[in-house]
Amino acid sequence: VNRLETSINLFNLKAFYAGRISSCGIHIEGGRIARIAKETNLPPADRRIDCGGHLVIPGLIDCHVHLRDLGFSYKEDFYTGTAAAAAGGFTSVLDMPNTSPPTDSPQRLAEKMALAQRKAIVNVGFHVAPPSDPADLSRMRLNGAFSCKFYLLKPMGNVEVRHPDVLRDYLRECRRAKMPATIHAEDGLVIERQLAASSSAITLKRFLQAHTPEAEYRSAKAVLETAGVGTKVHFCHITSCKALELIGRARRKMRISCEVTPHHLLLNDRELERIGPVALTVPPVRPEMERQRLLVACQRGSIDVLATDHAPHSLSEKLGEDYSKIAAGIAGLETALPLVLTLVKKGRLRLKPVIEMLTSKPAQVFGIRNKGVLRPGADADITVVDTRRRFKIRASEFKSKAKHSPFDGWSCIGRPIMTFVAGRLVMDHGEMMANPGEGAILRPK
Ligand code: NCD
Ligand code: ZN
Ligand code: ZN
Ligand code: ZN
């Protein structure tokens, strides 16, 4: 690994440091934060960077992204996906295994790591899919997998984890391997049956009648009843109050965490109807009442993590009449921070918890070492944010290959202006400064 030899002083900034926002400077050495102190007390450095009085926060961590590549590199690849991350202020991302081929064996995990190592400009870690040989779970854990993803909507790879007995066996194996289980909670067997009963194209209305909050709740309940005490469970993109209450109750006896996405905090079903398939994602955005409840849950601290579920597809895959055939997923890396900062400006969320849900919390949940906080000794993964900057989201300017978004044209207040990975400036006012391969492969502690 090429370590950064030069030292840097970041000055003229307000840092989110030790739970407070205070004026100070940051001294970086060898790719790590060496000192945080009053500017006048910093040691001299080879390079000085003026942060313009802006807010400096730990580099954002997204524990749920689909960087695709391999057979889906027309949708996104490790370079474009991590460039989108850097543009959005993210310095570390955890990639999902529903690729072509799926990441479901030690061999395939190793191949993905090698490819990402050549192309990525921010740090990348990996979730894996259930392997045909359950014993491979512990091998993949040792080789650096952050979790095993259980996609309960449709089969991923060869293993049918939607059947309770199969799910039970794999969750047990996860516990043995000390591997967290990451869950897409939707009752896929029931949803499939409901959609198959229709002989004509699936309208949005029919799609939403199948992908209900109930289906999310049933699926989450089945997982919690199946996973024994001691299995660490993380629920992806939770969308409804009922599932959240279930998770809240289970927290008392199990190690559980959950995430919410910016789109479920900002869009409702009427918005989906107006915007159309570009806003289609699974689980779908919900009625306004659920959206309001999710915001309240964030305010109360009942949600651990904000994750984008960055799920890029080509525009042609996002078009069509039959909602069961339209590719579900929204590219979120380049809009997440501006969107939630705008919610903060409007008083719907508070700044400190939002930053924590994007930094220290995902680091804690998945055991990402030395990241997610600004402190001496931590990796110099740092994001500089202009919290007053007003701008319009322009999907055509995304670094992601998916140049469409339900938020296209939305006005935001707040934007990342510089992103540092291990002390290297990778994004400067929207410009990509890094070469492919400068990101590191993450492994759990
Ligand atoms: C994701 C994708 O496209 O891979 N799509 C989505 O709508 N969220 C899969 C997923 O995370 O469920
Ligand atoms: Zn020094
Ligand atoms: Zn999902
Ligand atoms: Zn996803």
Side-chain angles (χ1 to χ4, degrees), residues 231-251:
T231 317
K232 201 172 168 185
V233 178
H234 175 77
F235 287 101
C236 299
H237 44 47
I238 287 299
T239 65
S240 66
C241 182
K242 216 173 156 195
L244 265 180
E245 282 164 4
L246 174 78
I247 291 166
R249 288 193 295 276
R251 276 182 205 271

Side-chain angles (χ1 to χ4, degrees), residues 64 66 96 149 237 309:
H64 186 161
H66 302 265
M96 284 296 171
K149 172 78 176 275
H237 44 47
D309 188 12

Side-chain angles (χ1 to χ4, degrees), residues 113-414:
M113 284 178 168
L115 188 60
Q117 183 62 86
R118 288 207 303 277
K119 293 183 165 183
I121 67 168
V122 306
N123 308 311
V124 183
F126 294 92
H127 299 286
V128 296
S132 332
D133 176 2
D136 274 343
L137 273 173
S138 43
R139 292 186 196 109
M140 292 194 282
R141 182 62 173 170
L142 289 172
N143 295 347
F146 278 91
S147 88
C148 182
K149 172 78 176 275
F150 293 89
Y151 193 67
L152 301 176
L153 185 55
K154 286 173 194 164
M156 182 200 312
N158 306 318
V159 188
E160 184 43 283
V161 285
R162 297 181 299 180
H163 291 309
D165 43 338
V166 181
L167 180 64
R168 178 171 300 109
D169 289 349
Y170 274 90
L171 287 174
R172 186 177 300 139
E173 203 56 40
C174 274
R175 189 161 68 245
R176 277 199 205 113
K178 296 195 167 32
M179 176 90 100
T182 296
I183 314 288
H184 175 120
E186 277 192 292
D187 186 343
L189 292 173
V190 171
I191 291 172
E192 209 165 76
R193 212 178 309 132
Q194 286 170 341
L195 293 178
S198 167
S199 53
S200 53
I202 303 296
T203 59
L204 176 57
K205 194 167 163 223
R206 301 269 339 241
F207 185 91
L208 294 178
Q209 281 166 351
H211 287 262
T212 56
E214 272 304 310
E216 177 178 71
Y217 172 78
R218 276 197 310 274
S219 177
K221 191 155 179 280
V223 168
L224 291 174
E225 283 166 359
T226 309
V229 178
T231 317
K232 201 172 168 185
V233 178
H234 175 77
F235 287 101
C236 299
H237 44 47
I238 287 299
T239 65
S240 66
C241 182
K242 216 173 156 195
L244 265 180
E245 282 164 4
L246 174 78
I247 291 166
R249 288 193 295 276
R251 276 182 205 271
R252 292 180 209 143
K253 43 185 197 306
M254 288 177 70
R255 290 191 299 164
I256 295 186
S257 52
C258 68
E259 75 191 28
V260 71
T261 71
H263 44 266
H264 291 108
L265 291 178
L266 279 151
L267 300 174
N268 59 29
D269 55 352
R270 307 189 61 155
E271 219 71 60
L272 168 58
E273 203 181 328
R274 183 180 62 80
I275 301 168
V278 165
L280 185 71
T281 184
V282 283
V285 297
R286 299 300 189 193
E288 179 62 11
M289 184 68 95
E290 292 286 5
R291 183 182 83 89
Q292 294 294 343
R293 286 171 175 162
L294 282 184
L295 281 166
V296 170
C298 277
Q299 288 285 52
R300 288 199 182 139
S302 339
I303 297 170
D304 304 87
V305 169
L306 258 162
T308 67
D309 188 12
H310 178 78
H313 296 286
S314 72
L315 186 58
S316 60
E317 293 168 317
K318 294 289 295 174
L319 303 175
E321 299 296 319
D322 188 330
Y323 273 75
S324 67
K325 299 204 176 85
I326 296 165
I330 294 170
L333 281 166
E334 292 167 85
T335 54
L337 184 61
L339 288 172
V340 297
L341 286 176
T342 305
L343 282 171
V344 169
K345 275 272 162 20
K346 291 184 173 161
R348 302 305 312 271
L349 295 175
R350 275 172 289 129
L351 182 62
K352 255 182 61 176
V354 159
I355 296 174
E356 286 165 354
M357 289 167 82
L358 286 164
T359 56
S360 55
K361 293 289 192 67
Q364 273 164 27
V365 165
F366 287 101
I368 306 174
R369 200 180 323 156
N370 262 345
K371 298 191 186 296
V373 283
L374 300 178
R375 60 166 169 73
D379 294 330
D381 293 354
I382 294 171
T383 299
V384 183
V385 185
D386 183 346
T387 55
R388 280 191 288 261
R389 174 73 170 279
R390 289 169 184 273
F391 77 107
K392 264 203 171 91
I393 290 172
R394 301 233 174 275
S396 61
E397 289 166 12
F398 283 175
K399 308 292 175 207
S400 169
K401 288 187 184 180
K403 300 198 191 297
H404 46 82
S405 161
F407 303 109
D408 199 19
W410 281 40
S411 297
C412 289
I413 312 175

Side-chain angles (χ1 to χ4, degrees), residues 1 91-92 116-117 120-125 371 421-422 437-442:
V1 184
T91 53
S92 292
Q117 183 62 86
I121 67 168
V122 306
N123 308 311
V124 183
K371 298 191 186 296
V421 174
E438 287 185 0
I441 301 303
L442 298 170

